[in-house]
Amino acid sequence: MTTEISTGTKPPLRVIVVGMGVRSMIYTRVALTNPELLEIVGVVDVDEKRREYARVTFGLDKTCCFTSVEELVSVPQFADAVINGTMDRLHVSTSIPLLRHGYDMLLEKPFALNEEEARELLECVRETGRTVMVCHVLRYAPYFQRLKRAMESGEIGRVINIRMSAQVNYFHESVSFVRGKYASAEICGSGMLLTKCSHDLDLMAWLMGENHPRRIASVGSMFQFVPEQAPEGAGTHCLTDCPVERDCPYSARRLYIEHPQRWADNVWHDSNMRRPETDEEKQAILSAPDNPYGACVYRCKTDIVDHQSVLIEYADGATGTFSMTGGSSISERSIHITGTRGEIYGTFETGRFTISTIAPEAPEGRIRHVVDVTEAQEGRHHGGGDREVVLDFIAYLRGEPTSPGKTLIEDSITGHRIVFLAEKSRLANGAMQNW
């Protein structure tokens, strides 16, 4: 479902961007394509280059460019809302003063790193009466919108089991979760299940609706990216001391120089560097002893898991499973829902899912039909959800019709709690956790 917003005589929503990183840059494109709906009027970022990018891109006055949230809340409120795209560990500490200063908020996921933080932010939302919408953008993809309607139609009956999986491809895994800024809970504040898969578990919670979990268990570990799995003779650094670098799929030279389309931009962005113009520059940067993006993936000493499975028992007795595997050859989100009268199964990346219903009179004993949304989401990152969540946020604050999947924080907490309890279970060797 695409959110329809009437332009009419209503002024654009005036927004301040807090944290001008990659995600914020994506969300603020609406201000460039539809200035009648969204106007960026300020920016907060510790990095001068990013502040300058925002100032030039959106024509901001220097008095509206701040280095911290503390600076912003020291002046009178001058916008309707903020887009909070700070790093995960800063979400709660930056959000609370902004809410108390009168700003509504579009907040990047995950909105909190643990139950204590989540409770603190939810209490602030209730106290201030402000709106917080969380960027669970996959809810807005045509694929999942249509799948949700199919479930609600009753065509497959009551859900017995919902099974979801996420395959994280090897170059995304290595650049973000082994070598990069999400490779350590100490750096990013959380594990891979929350950082990467809060999308997926939010989707599961949304699809199951009011049927909330009763008990949760989880297991997982670092299986692949450990010293014991390093190729025989491997060094410690791809470009300086590794004689088997040319045969390794995780060679920094191959991933970030020879095939730079494979998440290489994250290397330069997350290292807070401009994108190098020549291969020689890239090699020099990656060869630095302290640059993690040139380090051997098997010796990075990452402390998060590279695979994890979650088991959920729901209030009515239904079950759910979710599995995340990092280091796969493809990036894929798959789903298989079994009901009392049929099934739904498919993969997000294909843009298609099949509905198969029990039919004793049919030659195969079932009737199948395929739902195809490829045309609606082809070529659109996250199926177009990045743009749609911004439009939904604008519509909600303007009192206009919104998506049935709107991601208010009061609803988003369910998927977050699944992650929190799953992590608690994993750390307790898979012990079942009560909801």
Side-chain angles (χ1 to χ4, degrees), residues 3 5 13-15 38 80-83 103-107 131-134 140 387-399 402-403 406-408:
T3 303
I5 304 180
L13 191 74
R14 292 167 55 82
V15 166
L38 182 68
D80 306 303
V82 298
I83 294 175
Y103 292 108
D104 293 312
M105 183 178 297
L106 181 64
L107 177 59
T131 293
V132 174
M133 190 175 286
V134 183
Y140 294 89
R387 174 179 169 84
E388 290 300 320
V389 72
V390 178
L391 296 180
D392 213 35
F393 180 63
I394 296 169
Y396 186 82
L397 292 187
R398 291 169 64 158
T402 58
S403 164
K406 62 180 175 292
T407 55
L408 296 177

Side-chain angles (χ1 to χ4, degrees), residues 210-266:
E210 294 303 311
N211 191 8
H212 284 212
R214 178 188 292 158
R215 296 189 298 166
I216 293 172
S218 180
V219 293
S221 66
M222 176 55 72
F223 178 87
Q224 187 176 172
F225 302 99
V226 292
E228 295 77 18
Q229 296 296 329
E232 186 176 351
T236 62
H237 200 287
C238 291
L239 284 81
T240 59
D241 69 357
C242 187
V244 299
E245 174 261 327
R246 294 312 297 165
D247 297 320
C248 181
Y250 293 101
S251 160
R253 187 193 313 277
R254 296 171 75 180
L255 291 178
Y256 314 138
I257 298 177
E258 296 173 2
H259 302 283
Q261 73 275 21
R262 297 174 182 168
W263 289 81
D265 280 348
N266 288 56

Side-chain angles (χ1 to χ4, degrees), residues 74-294:
S74 70
V75 302
Q77 182 181 353
F78 64 93
D80 306 303
V82 298
I83 294 175
N84 189 339
T86 56
M87 286 290 288
D88 299 355
R89 59 187 173 79
L90 299 175
H91 285 173
V92 173
S93 62
T94 55
S95 294
I96 287 176
L98 291 166
L99 296 172
R100 288 179 174 158
H101 206 58
Y103 292 108
D104 293 312
M105 183 178 297
L106 181 64
L107 177 59
E108 184 56 277
K109 63 84 191 168
F111 72 75
L113 300 181
N114 51 57
E115 291 216 50
E116 292 71 26
E117 280 195 353
R119 190 178 304 113
E120 184 181 9
L121 186 54
L122 280 164
E123 287 176 357
C124 181
V125 170
R126 296 185 186 112
E127 289 170 6
T128 60
R130 304 317 321 166
T131 293
V132 174
M133 190 175 286
V134 183
C135 295
H136 288 301
V137 296
L138 286 179
R139 286 198 194 187
Y140 294 89
Y143 182 89
F144 290 110
Q145 291 271 325
R146 182 66 182 83
L147 195 150
K148 172 73 167 174
R149 292 203 299 273
M151 289 181 66
E152 292 179 336
S153 72
E155 190 172 0
I156 66 166
R158 292 180 61 200
V159 173
I160 302 170
N161 176 262
I162 178 169
R163 185 169 78 242
M164 298 175 64
S165 69
Q167 299 285 103
V168 184
N169 64 49
Y170 68 100
F171 41 89
H172 184 189
E173 172 77 16
S174 59
V175 79
S176 295
F177 306 104
V178 178
R179 288 170 167 149
K181 63 184 179 182
Y182 296 111
S184 166
E186 183 179 352
I187 298 172
C188 70
S190 63
M192 189 172 175
L193 194 64
L194 184 66
T195 302
K196 182 70 179 76
C197 301
S198 55
H199 274 316
D200 304 274
L201 289 163
D202 173 74
L203 281 171
M204 185 180 286
W206 177 54
L207 292 171
M208 293 299 284
E210 294 303 311
N211 191 8
H212 284 212
R214 178 188 292 158
R215 296 189 298 166
I216 293 172
S218 180
V219 293
S221 66
M222 176 55 72
F223 178 87
Q224 187 176 172
F225 302 99
V226 292
E228 295 77 18
Q229 296 296 329
E232 186 176 351
T236 62
H237 200 287
C238 291
L239 284 81
T240 59
D241 69 357
C242 187
V244 299
E245 174 261 327
R246 294 312 297 165
D247 297 320
C248 181
Y250 293 101
S251 160
R253 187 193 313 277
R254 296 171 75 180
L255 291 178
Y256 314 138
I257 298 177
E258 296 173 2
H259 302 283
Q261 73 275 21
R262 297 174 182 168
W263 289 81
D265 280 348
N266 288 56
V267 172
W268 323 122
H269 180 275
D270 294 345
S271 299
N272 202 24
M273 295 180 287
R274 64 174 179 81
R275 183 175 181 174
E277 296 179 1
T278 67
D279 288 353
E280 289 73 21
E281 282 184 275
K282 294 175 184 178
Q283 179 156 329
I285 293 168
L286 292 169
S287 297
D290 59 347
N291 189 330
Y293 293 100

